[in-house]
Amino acid sequence: MKECDSKRILVTGGAGFLGSHLCESLLAQGHEVLCVDNFYTGSKRNIAHLLAEPRFELLRHDVAFPLYVEVDEIYNLACPASPVHYQNDPVQTIKTSVHGALNMLGLAKRLKAPVLQASTSEVYGDPQVHPQKEDYWGHVNPIGQRACYDEGKRCAETLFMDYRRQHRLNVKIARIFNTYGPRMHPNDGRVVSNFIMQALAGQPLTVYGDGSQTRSFCYVDDMIAAFDRLMRTPDGFGGPVNLGNPVEHTMLELAERIIALSRSRSAIVFKPLPSDDPARRRPDIALARAVLQWEPKVGLDEGLECTIDYFRQFVKEGDALAIPPATQERSLHAQAK
C-alpha cells in the first residue's frame, strides 16, 4: 500500500475477540489503527503482540462517553456480546449500545468519516421465519433478560439509519451471526467456548434442551474479510447486511464434533433451555454474496481445530476455569464483540 493510501482507523472494542483480529488485519494492510477499549471483557492479551507496532495506538476509554479524535474511518464494535457478559450489567449494556452509537455517529458526522456498526443476528430475536433475511423485522421480547442486548442493538441500527437519512452519513450496518475462533474469552458463556473448555478439562459438555436447536458458525477470519468488504462498498450501500455462515448445525452435533476433534472423553449432559433462547438461527447471505462478493470459506472442522488449539493454553495454565465471568480486567464498562 502506498503511504498516501494509508488511513487512520478507529476500532472501538479493539481489544475484544473480533476487534483484535480487525486491528491486526488493518495493520497488515498498512493503515494506522487507534484501538479503543475499556477492558470490561476485552483483554490486553489479545493485542499484546501489536503494542510494539508504531502504527498501532491503544486508548483506554468507554464509548458511552464522547471521544474526540481525528480518524478517517470508524468501526464501532464496542459492546459485551455474550449473554454472560451483557446480562451481568444490563443497564450498562444498553448504554454502551445506544450512547456508544450516538457518540460514534457524532464523531463520524464531524469528521465526515464512514462508520461501520457491528450489529447482531439477535435483532431477529427468536425468529418466526427461517432462514433470516435482512427485511425480516424480528420477534424480540422487549422486557426479557436478553433485551438489554437485543433492543440495544436494534436501537443502534435505528440511530445509524436516521443519521444516514437526516445527515447523509456514510454508515454500514453488519448483522453478525455466531462467530468463533482464537481470542474468544474462555468463560464468555458462548456455546463454542463452553464446549471446548469443558472438553479440554474433561468435564461433561452442557447441552441445553434436547440439543436440537441450531446455530450457524462463522470462523473469525471470514468475518473480518466481510467487514473489510462492507466498509469498501459505495456510499449508496449501508445495509444492514447479514454476515455469517449459512451452514446450520444442531447443538448436539456441535458438542459431538468438539469431543471428537479435541480427543476428549467427556460425556454430554442435558439441562433446561434458557428463556428466550432462539430455536433456530441461520442467515440468508444472498445480499452479502451479491453486493460484497463474499461468503465464508473456512469449514467448521478446520475452524474448530484452530480454536481448540488456542484454548489448550488456558487448560495448561490452569487459569481459565478460575476466571469469574465478566470480571477479567474489569474497568469502567463496555467491551468488544
Side-chain angles (χ1 to χ4, degrees):
M1 175 183 289
K2 297 179 182 178
E3 187 173 346
C4 60
D5 296 329
S6 176
K7 298 176 181 177
R8 180 167 168 79
I9 300 177
L10 167 63
V11 179
T12 72
F17 164 46
L18 287 182
S20 62
H21 284 277
L22 178 59
C23 288
E24 193 173 63
S25 175
L26 293 171
L27 287 169
Q29 294 175 41
H31 300 297
E32 294 183 34
V33 174
L34 173 58
C35 169
V36 169
D37 206 301
N38 71 348
F39 302 106
Y40 178 47
T41 53
S43 173
K44 289 182 180 177
R45 170 185 236 152
N46 290 339
I47 43 102
H49 63 297
L50 304 178
L51 294 175
E53 167 60 56
R55 290 177 289 107
F56 180 79
E57 182 181 354
L58 174 62
L59 175 63
R60 191 173 191 136
H61 180 81
D62 184 342
V63 297
F65 298 93
L67 180 63
Y68 302 101
V69 294
E70 303 297 320
V71 294
D72 301 306
E73 291 179 352
I74 302 168
Y75 289 83
N76 185 36
L77 276 61
C79 187
S82 71
V84 167
H85 292 153
Y86 65 64
Q87 291 174 3
N88 184 61
D89 191 343
V91 173
Q92 186 60 39
T93 296
I94 296 172
K95 286 183 177 179
T96 302
S97 289
V98 178
H99 292 184
L102 281 168
N103 288 327
M104 291 307 106
L105 286 164
L107 178 63
K109 179 187 172 187
R110 178 177 70 83
L111 298 173
K112 296 181 174 58
V115 54
L116 184 148
Q117 166 68 4
S119 189
T120 172
S121 60
E122 297 295 337
V123 300
Y124 298 121
D126 187 1
Q128 296 178 316
V129 301
H130 192 80
Q132 293 79 58
K133 297 181 68 173
E134 289 86 353
D135 59 3
Y136 176 55
W137 292 353
H139 179 230
V140 177
N141 177 1
I143 58 172
Q145 291 185 335
R146 301 169 71 100
C148 59
Y149 184 68
D150 301 1
E151 297 288 30
K153 289 291 190 178
R154 285 162 68 95
C155 183
E157 284 198 12
T158 300
L159 288 166
F160 267 69
M161 293 308 294
D162 284 340
Y163 263 76
R164 178 180 181 84
R165 287 185 286 257
Q166 186 172 339
H167 302 296
R168 301 181 184 275
L169 194 63
N170 183 7
V171 306
K172 314 290 183 183
I173 299 175
R175 286 183 179 163
I176 303 168
F177 283 68
N178 290 59
T179 307
Y180 71 99
R183 299 184 202 149
M184 295 181 77
H185 193 294
N187 279 345
D188 65 5
R190 293 189 238 194
V191 64
V192 171
S193 49
N194 273 0
F195 283 175
I196 291 176
M197 290 305 299
Q198 290 169 339
L200 293 178
Q203 299 176 347
L205 272 65
T206 306
V207 173
Y208 293 95
D210 62 3
S212 62
Q213 66 271 36
T214 66
R215 296 294 184 273
S216 304
F217 300 98
C218 184
Y219 189 64
V220 60
D221 288 359
D222 285 328
M223 186 59 62
I224 298 306
F227 285 177
D228 183 70
R229 295 199 177 198
L230 179 55
M231 183 62 93
R232 307 296 155 231
T233 55
D235 291 2
F237 180 80
V241 58
N242 289 338
L243 300 179
N245 195 316
V247 181
E248 198 171 1
H249 301 277
T250 68
M251 295 301 93
L252 186 57
E253 177 190 355
L254 178 69
E256 291 169 345
R257 282 197 181 198
I258 287 175
I259 288 173
L261 290 170
S262 62
R263 298 178 293 281
S264 173
R265 296 183 179 179
S266 295
I268 296 174
V269 297
F270 297 87
K271 292 190 176 182
L273 198 65
S275 62
D276 298 328
D277 191 54
R280 301 184 75 186
R281 183 67 62 70
R282 175 165 70 92
D284 182 317
I285 63 167
L287 184 61
R289 286 189 174 116
V291 176
L292 309 184
Q293 301 295 299
W294 172 89
E295 62 182 346
K297 297 179 180 178
V298 179
L300 183 61
D301 284 357
E302 179 185 355
L304 285 176
E305 286 178 345
C306 294
T307 310
I308 289 167
D309 286 344
Y310 171 79
F311 275 100
R312 288 187 192 281
Q313 67 180 302
F314 297 107
V315 175
K316 290 178 182 178
E317 293 171 3
D319 62 354
L321 297 179
I323 302 173
T327 59
Q328 185 189 42
E329 296 193 34
R330 176 176 291 190
S331 167
L332 295 174
H333 288 292
Q335 88 90 31
K337 181 163 184 173

